[in-house]
Amino acid sequence: MAGETISMLGTWMQMMAQGWVVAGLTASAFTLGLMNLASGLPMLLLTTWGGVLADRHDKRRILLATQVVQIAVASWIGWMVARGAVSVWHLLVAGCILGVSAAFEMPAASALVPELVAREQLRSAIAVDRSIFHATRLAGPAIAGVLVSWLGTASAFFANAGSFVAMIVALFTLPPRPTGSAEEEAQRQTGMWEGWNYVRQDAPTRTMLMLLSSATFCISPFFMIMMPLYSRHILHIPASQHGILMGSSGLGAFTGSLWLLRIAAQHRTAYLRGSIVGIVVCMSALALARNLPEAVTAMVILTICTSTIFGLANTIVQERAPNAIRGRVSALAGMSFIGVLPFSGLVMTKIADLIGMRLAMGWSALGFGALAALLLYRHHCACAREPRAEEAVVSTVA
């Protein structure tokens, strides 16, 4: 967790700086969506294979290899930015390389955390992991805003390259995965179909992945892809204030992740429903915001709600996943985000270019509310028709 904290801090710094660089190269939201597709498409194509490898091989070695790749890419882009020679195609190539790396990193990292704790500690471990992710999301953009103003944009890329060293050191401290039973080890050698079949048969897991996909499609493109354009061309604020806005999203997400430590299984339904309502209201408020304080307020509450949904969904999925196929299930959980985001990014950015970002935000909020309500209603009806599954469903998911 210490290594991840330093590494993720650098990652969020680079993401803020890169978004600012792109917003300076183009005013087209669609171009931002295209860049997101460049990294998302390799992840879409390769993440399931990454899940298979995570179950079959040493996750530490997979993660070590991906850290080296990310160091090289961050250093290259930082050098191009420092020279003033960076262009959109450089960032497209970098995004593609990072997408390949992330396709193998994401399932290995997601499946590694549950191996480090006992099953009864899993919920707390995932909450701590998510808290670190979002705490660095809070601090990273704010630090990057100061660093960019002081040393220039390239400094954030070089800082990110150096941050991966901490994660590499941390990985060397971890012991190898203990060998399981003969049956478990045999199951690890099976293919991706085992993961697909499990998700198809397990209703709570399937519902959570569909809910994640809905949130990713309708909501994530706006605060993960288009915020630089929102700051620069809608609110008309400088880089330092953009860092504050991005940091506020981290504050909300961090707060939401801490809630996971306090949410009992029997209360998950209420939190999911409340978070859905909160997302619709706050996304609409963000669309109407006229200044930084209004946008920050809406962003904090919005990301509290999205973090709660993503955190609860991932907790439920990891709690239910069998150890032998956890990497493949983690890959499918990741696909509900990274497999959807590249295409939702293209769709939503194009809509934003056509009708305006504010109007696109408002309609997307309403669309998500309708999709999420339908999902929970249909799942509730399915549970009512299947009494034998009722206990499992009540204890895990709305």
Side-chain angles (χ1 to χ4, degrees):
M1 293 300 170
E4 181 185 17
T5 299
I6 298 172
S7 176
M8 287 304 304
L9 195 64
T11 298
W12 286 113
M13 291 172 65
Q14 175 170 313
M15 289 182 67
M16 181 273 178
Q18 180 170 309
W20 197 251
V21 168
V22 175
L25 294 174
T26 178
S28 169
F30 183 74
T31 302
L32 286 180
L34 188 64
M35 294 184 64
N36 189 68
L37 180 66
S39 61
L41 193 57
M43 295 175 72
L44 178 64
L45 297 175
L46 298 174
T47 295
T48 53
W49 180 237
V52 172
L53 292 182
D55 283 332
R56 292 182 181 180
H57 301 290
D58 190 340
K59 298 176 182 63
R60 300 171 306 159
R61 294 182 178 179
I62 296 173
L63 292 174
L64 283 169
T66 61
Q67 305 308 296
V68 172
V69 171
Q70 291 176 78
I71 289 174
V73 173
S75 300
W76 171 52
I77 295 298
W79 180 63
M80 296 299 295
V81 171
R83 292 177 55 211
V86 70
S87 61
V88 171
W89 78 264
H90 292 120
L91 298 175
L92 288 172
V93 172
C96 185
I97 297 172
L98 291 175
V100 173
S101 174
F104 295 94
E105 179 187 31
M106 185 276 297
S110 297
L112 179 64
V113 172
E115 291 184 357
L116 304 179
V117 297
R119 180 168 286 273
E120 60 270 17
Q121 297 173 318
L122 181 57
R123 181 170 65 94
S124 297
I126 292 175
V128 171
D129 181 55
R130 299 299 299 176
S131 296
I132 289 175
F133 178 86
H134 292 302
T136 55
R137 179 181 171 185
L138 166 64
I143 294 173
V146 174
L147 196 62
V148 167
S149 299
W150 181 31
L151 298 176
T153 308
S155 61
F157 293 89
F158 293 132
N160 183 41
S163 72
F164 289 111
V165 175
M167 189 61 177
I168 291 174
V169 172
L171 288 170
F172 276 112
T173 70
L174 299 181
R177 174 182 61 81
T179 303
S181 65
E183 180 181 359
E184 182 177 322
E185 292 301 318
Q187 192 175 20
R188 290 182 183 278
Q189 302 306 312
T190 56
M192 191 61 210
W193 174 248
E194 288 290 325
W196 284 108
N197 193 46
Y198 166 80
V199 171
R200 182 178 61 84
Q201 294 180 358
D202 190 70
T205 298
R206 187 174 63 250
T207 299
M208 287 298 94
L209 298 191
M210 293 175 69
L211 184 60
L212 288 176
S213 297
S214 299
T216 300
F217 187 87
C218 296
I219 306 300
S220 295
F222 293 98
F223 69 85
M224 294 196 68
I225 300 174
M226 288 185 270
M227 273 299 106
L229 292 181
Y230 179 81
S231 295
R232 200 158 191 160
H233 303 295
I234 302 298
L235 295 182
H236 305 289
I237 57 178
S240 58
Q241 292 186 14
H242 172 65
I244 293 173
L245 181 59
M246 294 303 292
S248 70
S249 72
L251 174 62
F254 177 63
T255 304
S257 65
L258 289 180
W259 280 5
L260 298 179
L261 294 167
R262 302 177 59 86
I263 300 176
Q266 64 270 26
H267 296 149
R268 288 173 177 171
T269 298
Y271 275 92
L272 285 171
R273 290 173 178 167
S275 295
I276 290 168
V277 173
I279 287 173
V280 174
V281 172
C282 292
M283 189 71 170
S284 301
L286 194 64
L288 298 173
R290 298 294 173 178
N291 52 54
L292 183 62
E294 291 178 2
V296 166
T297 301
M299 180 67 81
V300 169
I301 303 174
L302 171 67
T303 49
I304 286 175
C305 296
T306 55
S307 178
T308 300
I309 287 180
F310 276 77
L312 281 177
N314 278 293
T315 299
I316 291 165
V317 170
Q318 292 291 346
E319 281 180 346
R320 300 180 66 86
N323 290 331
I325 61 171
R326 190 182 300 281
R328 281 161 280 185
V329 174
S330 296
L332 292 174
M335 289 289 287
S336 67
F337 177 73
I338 62 174
V340 174
L341 187 59
F343 301 101
S344 65
L346 282 180
V347 172
M348 293 302 175
T349 52
K350 189 62 177 179
I351 291 174
D353 282 339
L354 291 174
I355 68 175
M357 191 175 297
R358 292 186 185 276
L359 196 57
M361 284 180 167
W363 281 110
S364 295
L366 295 177
F368 168 72
L371 283 171
L374 179 61
L375 271 175
L376 295 185
Y377 174 75
R378 292 183 62 183
H379 188 69
H380 176 76
C381 293
C383 294
R385 291 194 299 268
E386 300 177 12
R388 288 177 297 179
E390 183 177 353
E391 182 179 348
V393 170
V394 169
S395 68
T396 55
V397 64

